[in-house]
Amino acid sequence: MDQRIAPGVPAPPGLFSVPLSATRRGARLARLLATEQLRSWELPLDPARLVVAELAANAVLHGRVAGRGFRLTLRLDPPSVLRIEVADTRGDRLPVPAPAAEEPGESGYGLLLVGELADRWGVRCGPVPGKTVWAELHVPPRR
């Protein structure tokens, strides 16, 4: 997949980044594009596409600002780490995972799932005015 990080600037190998609309359709497109990128890198689809789906859905549900989208970034760090980042424009709403003993509400399972599937995950401030939720997965080394 020939992706560009800016018009006329090709992405370096092992990097995929795309802006998407903060809509249900944008979240679905994030999962579909991630699936195709994982295939092109010859990586297993799961659990990465499940993590992308959850983080993108959270960006749409909890990180949405009218008229602004979110950015999906996949980065393959040799030899075997896939970093998934979803950046939205709501820096004032940081995700807080429910304690393991506490039962999540009706829609509180996304980050619990990410926590179970990812080797590490977290949140960082930025790009301003937003936040980036990230997850890292160990993947088989590329051939």
Side-chain angles (χ1 to χ4, degrees):
M1 186 176 285
D2 178 30
Q3 281 299 305
R4 300 179 185 284
I5 56 175
V9 179
L15 178 66
F16 172 84
S17 188
V18 62
L20 297 159
S21 64
T23 62
R24 288 177 49 198
R25 186 175 189 177
R28 180 175 183 270
L29 187 56
R31 183 180 49 81
L32 294 172
L33 290 171
T35 298
E36 289 309 309
Q37 187 61 52
L38 293 166
R39 280 190 178 124
S40 77
W41 285 339
E42 299 177 355
L43 294 176
L45 300 181
D46 291 320
R49 70 177 164 183
L50 298 172
V51 171
V52 168
E54 289 300 330
L55 296 183
N58 280 352
V60 169
L61 290 173
H62 306 294
R64 186 170 189 267
V65 172
R68 299 202 177 161
F70 69 95
R71 176 171 288 277
L72 168 67
T73 301
L74 305 177
R75 190 175 73 225
L76 194 54
D77 292 329
S80 61
V81 174
L82 174 67
R83 185 174 175 100
I84 300 164
E85 295 183 347
V86 174
D88 66 47
T89 53
R90 285 294 301 264
D92 61 325
R93 295 192 67 186
L94 299 177
V96 178
E102 189 176 307
E103 189 70 24
E106 186 175 312
S107 64
Y109 290 95
L111 291 177
L112 287 175
L113 181 61
V114 170
E116 287 297 315
L117 296 173
D119 295 300
R120 296 181 340 130
W121 77 274
V123 183
R124 66 176 171 81
C125 294
V128 173
K131 67 180 172 300
T132 300
V133 182
W134 58 269
E136 292 181 344
L137 305 168
H138 291 288
V139 295
R142 291 172 69 183
R143 295 176 230 159

